Amino acid sequence: MDFTPSEEQAAAQGLAARIFGDLSTHERLVAAGTGTDAELWKELCAAGLPGAVEDIGLLGLVLLLEEQGRSTAQVPLAATCVYGLLAVDGHGTAEQRERLLPALRDGTAVATGAFPARGGVGAVDGALYGGVPWVPWLRDATHVLVADAERELWIVEVGAPGVTVVAVETTAPWSAGRLGLDGVRGERLGTGPGAGAAVLAASRTAFAGLQAGVCAGSLARAVQHTATREQFGRPLSTNQGVLLRAADAHMDTEAIRVTAYEAAWRRDRQLGYEAQALTAAWWASEAGRRVVHAGQHLHGGTGADLDHPVHRHFLWGRQLDAYLGCGAELLEELGLLIGSDRMEGTP
């Protein structure tokens, strides 16, 4: 395996780093509250970064999301790319791709995904009933990709008759909402549960990449703080306990990153990667929680300040932990997958 970015992937990552670094400042994040930074989203789309994902693949998207996570930029990049662009490009018909992809590329359409862990949505003769307690970026979305109880995929327009969206405040400011469906006519995407499993694996990989960036940003802030803050006449970073805590956080962050890279790399090469996506999700959930706690703890009393930038990394890390799923449940699913015939013949 070689995770070295291609020239196109490296260029996209560099552009994303510049845009996020210039526009996703602490002041702008405070002003955005729980909403999307519309100017930043417009800038990303004008630069062609969402649309570039079709060419740079899932690994390229993971690299972009790492840069977003470093600054906790409030834009629906992950949701639009995995539940919109990659899902439609990979599983849509020619007519669906021609109709839906242009608006998703230029940002005039925003997609998200409703993948309830335990049912919640049923399909009867093409009509959808049920609900999902919370869906990320739903309040900003024009389209939501819904997985029913059989893991069949349906594209639903948020403004369609029978769709209700109620604002939900989550740990991180993701413009989330509760989705209700009452006889909504959905549009099928793909055939059979295989499409649903593929989109779920891609989303787990992408959000793990986002968590890698969140953790890297948290750790970078902790390193800067402990290197400049003095106690008893010397920097905090010279204390062995601080060094060990930071080293553990670094290793956890690298584990999240490399497992996300592996899953994305395998997907882009059309290799089986469902198990690798679950592994990346587990690391992002379990290790991610440890890292953002360490980042806040290493700031001492400053880390308890709700207005401090490091606290935003803490909130994002805990939200991603919740979104990716409980570590024990992910391990159970991974064990069942390994023991099933779905793993037979997997490269």
Side-chain angles (χ1 to χ4, degrees), residues 162-186:
V163 176
T164 58
V165 175
V166 179
V168 173
E169 297 302 325
T170 55
T171 302
W174 283 5
S175 298
R178 182 168 65 248
L179 177 68
L181 303 167
D182 186 10
V184 179
R185 307 304 299 187

Side-chain angles (χ1 to χ4, degrees), residues 8-270:
E8 293 78 9
Q9 290 170 336
Q13 183 182 23
L15 178 58
R18 180 180 63 78
I19 294 174
F20 286 129
D22 290 345
L23 296 182
S24 187
T25 62
H26 176 62
E27 293 73 22
R28 288 177 62 90
L29 288 168
V30 171
T34 61
T36 293
D37 187 331
E39 183 180 342
L40 175 55
W41 181 240
K42 182 178 179 181
E43 185 71 20
L44 290 170
C45 294
L49 288 176
V53 172
E54 296 168 72
D55 296 320
I56 62 178
L58 185 56
L59 180 55
L61 175 59
V62 166
L63 295 173
L64 299 184
L65 293 175
E66 274 195 82
E67 300 305 328
Q68 179 187 356
R70 291 178 196 276
S71 60
T72 60
Q74 290 178 202
V75 288
L77 181 61
T80 291
C81 288
V82 294
Y83 297 123
L85 284 157
L86 291 180
V88 174
D89 183 54
H91 305 285
T93 64
E95 187 277 331
Q96 287 174 325
R97 291 195 295 270
E98 182 178 357
R99 172 166 48 90
L100 297 171
L101 289 178
L104 290 168
R105 291 176 186 134
D106 64 22
T108 54
V110 173
T112 187
F115 279 63
R118 298 175 182 84
V121 176
V124 180
D125 297 328
L128 301 175
Y129 297 86
V132 182
W134 74 275
V135 179
W137 305 107
L138 181 61
R139 283 180 277 159
D140 294 325
T142 57
H143 297 78
V144 55
L145 186 64
V146 179
D148 65 22
E150 304 300 323
R151 278 294 185 259
E152 303 281 356
L153 296 181
W154 304 82
I155 301 173
V156 172
E157 293 187 14
V158 174
V163 176
T164 58
V165 175
V166 179
V168 173
E169 297 302 325
T170 55
T171 302
W174 283 5
S175 298
R178 182 168 65 248
L179 177 68
L181 303 167
D182 186 10
V184 179
R185 307 304 299 187
E187 177 183 355
R188 283 288 300 274
L189 182 72
T191 56
V199 173
L200 180 58
S203 69
R204 282 169 165 163
T205 304
F207 280 96
L210 183 59
Q211 181 75 300
V214 170
C215 291
S218 175
L219 183 57
R221 291 187 182 280
V223 168
Q224 181 183 28
H225 175 80
T226 56
T228 56
R229 182 67 177 265
E230 291 191 356
Q231 187 178 60
F232 306 119
R234 63 178 187 176
L236 288 172
S237 59
T238 60
N239 294 318
Q240 188 179 42
V242 172
L243 290 170
L244 292 174
R245 191 78 185 274
D248 286 342
H250 171 72
M251 294 304 297
D252 275 338
T253 301
E254 289 301 300
I256 300 169
R257 177 182 288 118
V258 74
T259 51
Y261 283 5
E262 181 185 8
W265 180 87
R266 290 181 65 89
R267 182 264 184 194
D268 290 344
R269 281 154 182 76
Q270 299 182 342

Side-chain angles (χ1 to χ4, degrees), residues 4 6 53 138 187 192 201 203 213 249 284 313-314 330 347:
T4 304
S6 66
V53 172
L138 181 61
E187 177 183 355
S203 69
H313 288 272
F314 174 78
L330 291 168

Side-chain angles (χ1 to χ4, degrees), residues 321-340:
D321 163 31
Y323 187 61
L324 288 164
C326 167
E329 291 180 340
L330 291 168
L331 283 182
E332 180 185 20
E333 187 177 347
L334 178 59
L336 292 172
L337 175 64
I338 293 173
S340 73

